[in-house]
């Protein structure tokens, strides 16, 4: 099923899912020192909301989870501000022109850091390779979203236990570079764009959202920009240009579990 978004033609029957599903098994990824999600049937006395138990005609589960710590999620600047801002109000459009890049974090002291230079280099390499006839002209189009796949890219990212492991993170300079490149939506395969133990500085979050004061929010803070964390981009997905469909649940919360989908660009016309 083909669809056109502006001048882009995509096949809606061939989505590339880069989200990590939420489960109640030990295979679920976990960050931020919490336990795994819980998915269990509602119980009222001897009634159990589970068909296989023979007590109910329907399956009727409660789900207890944390969007930040239990898988792919999309957050708005309400994640770090004193005043309440909702991802459901911040994200009102869902299709974006996106670029996928692969970056190897740089060893700096005890940390692995995604630097401005590594992002800039990966963007240049991707642009230079995007010259096939079907994407001719894409270099003149500004990306609205940037998707960062980090190396090494093991499959255990889909089940990794991140707490107290000091995962790689974005430098403040890199986050500023991404913001100044007019990227509105940043997606990354890490539990956070910031260092795990950073004394609450949140330098990359603040830089990307252009938040100078989390209590008295500055007027030029980026209210509609989003960060999506804990994605997984499989090896066979090539770097380059895509249409991104960024789907969230309608939660009035700073973050929501999300399902980012990529679509190959089948055609491009000015």
């Amino acid at each position: 099923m083909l669809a056109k978004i502006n001048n882009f033609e995509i096949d809606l029957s061939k989505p590339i899912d880069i989200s990590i599903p939420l489960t109640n098994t030990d295979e679920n990824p976990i960050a931020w020192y919490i336990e795994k999600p819980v998915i269990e049937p509602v119980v009222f006395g001897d009634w159990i909301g589970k068909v296989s138990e023979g007590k109910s005609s329907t399956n009727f589960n409660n789900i207890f989870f944390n969007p930040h710590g239990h898988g792919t999620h999309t957050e708005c600047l309400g994640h770090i501000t004193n005043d309440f801002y909702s991802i459901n109000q911040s994200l009102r459009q869902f299709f974006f022109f996106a670029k996928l890049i692969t970056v190897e974090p740089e060893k700096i002291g005890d940390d692995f850091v995604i630097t401005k230079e590594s992002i800039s280099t990966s963007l240049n390499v991707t642009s230079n390779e995007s010259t096939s006839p079907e994407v001719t002209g894409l270099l003149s189009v500004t990306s609205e979203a940037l998707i960062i796949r980090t190396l090494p890219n093991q499959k255990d990212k889909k089940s990794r236990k991140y707490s107290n492991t000091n995962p790689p993170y974005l430098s403040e300079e890199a986050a500023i570079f991404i913001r100044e490149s007019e990227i509105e939506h940043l997606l990354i395969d890490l539990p956070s764009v910031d260092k795990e133990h950073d004394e609450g500085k949140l330098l990359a979050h603040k830089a990307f959202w252009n938040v100078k004061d989390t209590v008295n929010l500055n007027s030029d803070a980026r209210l509609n920009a989003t960060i999506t964390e804990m994605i997984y981009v499989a090896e066979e997905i090539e770097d380059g240009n895509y249409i991104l469909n960024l789907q969230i649940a309608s939660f009035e919360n700073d973050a929501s579990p999300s399902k980012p989908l990529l679509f190959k660009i089948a055609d491009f016309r000015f």
Side-chain angles (χ1 to χ4, degrees):
M1 178 181 177
L2 296 179
K4 285 189 177 181
I5 299 176
N6 294 330
N7 293 315
F8 303 99
E9 189 173 86
I10 61 174
D11 188 345
L12 293 177
S13 69
K14 297 179 179 179
I16 302 169
D17 191 347
I18 59 172
S19 69
I20 299 175
L22 185 78
T23 76
N24 64 344
T25 71
D26 291 333
E27 294 300 306
N28 201 90
I30 300 175
W32 311 117
Y33 329 112
I34 54 181
E35 300 298 323
K36 68 180 182 182
V38 176
I39 304 176
E40 60 185 13
V42 173
V43 177
F44 296 126
D46 63 352
W47 184 88
I48 302 173
K50 188 173 183 178
V51 175
S52 63
E53 294 287 333
K55 299 290 183 70
S56 173
S57 60
T58 60
N59 294 305
F60 189 52
N61 289 330
N62 282 327
I63 302 177
F64 302 90
F65 73 100
N66 184 291
H68 294 286
H70 282 149
T72 306
H73 61 279
T74 298
E75 58 196 33
C76 68
L77 55 66
H79 183 43
I80 63 170
T81 59
N82 180 73
D83 292 337
F84 177 76
Y85 293 94
S86 164
I87 184 62
N88 193 46
Q89 301 303 319
S90 296
L91 184 63
R92 306 304 292 269
Q93 298 182 37
F94 306 97
F95 282 93
F96 308 99
F97 181 72
K99 187 176 291 292
L100 167 64
I101 63 172
T102 300
V103 173
E104 184 168 9
E106 180 181 343
K107 185 72 160 47
I108 300 177
D110 294 329
D111 299 342
F112 286 91
V113 183
I114 301 170
T115 64
K116 172 186 174 180
E117 290 74 21
S118 61
I119 291 175
S120 178
T121 298
S122 295
L123 284 170
N124 288 335
V125 168
T126 303
S127 295
N128 290 336
E129 291 176 349
S130 298
T131 55
S132 58
E134 64 270 21
V135 294
T136 300
L138 286 176
L139 302 185
S140 65
V141 179
T142 300
S143 295
E144 300 162 294
L146 177 65
I147 305 154
I148 299 177
R149 168 173 47 195
T150 60
L151 296 176
N153 191 42
Q154 296 104 326
K155 290 184 179 179
D156 73 351
K157 287 178 181 176
K158 295 188 287 185
S159 59
R160 192 170 293 173
K161 308 303 181 277
Y162 284 100
S163 300
N164 292 311
T165 64
N166 192 29
Y169 59 92
L170 276 180
S171 71
E172 180 182 20
E173 186 181 29
I176 292 171
F177 173 72
I178 294 168
R179 183 190 77 217
E180 292 181 344
S181 299
E182 299 183 348
I183 296 295
E184 290 289 322
H185 306 284
L186 173 61
L187 297 84
I188 196 164
D189 61 1
L190 298 169
S192 178
V193 295
D194 272 304
K195 184 174 179 175
E196 181 179 16
H197 297 290
D198 73 342
E199 301 175 342
K201 295 176 182 176
L202 297 172
L203 297 178
H205 281 91
K206 291 176 181 177
F208 177 75
W209 281 317
N210 197 32
V211 171
K212 302 177 179 68
D213 187 334
T214 60
V215 176
N216 299 303
L217 192 65
N218 44 293
S219 61
D220 56 349
R222 303 211 300 163
L223 295 172
N224 301 120
T226 70
I227 297 174
T228 300
E229 297 163 332
M230 294 177 77
I231 63 171
Y232 177 71
V233 185
E235 285 293 307
E236 60 269 20
I237 303 172
E238 297 179 353
D239 284 5
N241 301 296
Y242 294 88
I243 295 297
L244 166 68
N245 176 209
L246 185 54
Q247 302 180 15
I248 60 169
S250 298
F251 286 172
E252 295 295 346
N253 188 50
D254 68 282
S256 166
S258 59
K259 189 179 183 71
L261 301 175
L262 300 182
F263 293 91
K264 292 183 179 180
I265 298 170
D267 196 11
F268 180 86
R269 298 187 183 89
F270 286 109

